[in-house]
Amino acid sequence: MMNQVQILQMFWNDWGNHDLGFYKVYVQCGAITKDDYKKVTGQDYEAVTETQPA
């Protein structure tokens, strides 16, 4: 059975899903670490902050 990082690597490498926001959700949910994110995407993880409208 594949672990979460292996599955995400398949999405990145084989399926061509290069939407960084997709992978950031996994870090935000605690499913993968920031190091795993970099391993999959090759990018450093930068937290996204969303502002609420006033």
Side-chain angles (χ1 to χ4, degrees):
M1 181 144 189
M2 296 171 63
N3 67 32
Q4 190 65 55
V5 174
Q6 291 170 320
I7 292 169
L8 293 176
Q9 284 177 316
M10 181 179 64
F11 289 169
W12 183 271
N13 295 324
D14 299 337
W15 295 1
N17 181 355
H18 296 155
D19 176 8
L20 296 177
F22 174 81
Y23 303 95
K24 286 182 180 184
V25 171
Y26 284 87
V27 177
Q28 293 165 355
C29 294
I32 64 172
T33 66
K34 292 177 183 180
D35 289 336
D36 292 335
Y37 176 87
K38 185 168 185 169
K39 181 178 179 182
V40 171
T41 66
Q43 307 273 333
D44 286 328
Y45 176 82
E46 295 179 20
V48 176
T49 57
E50 295 187 23
T51 58
Q52 296 293 326

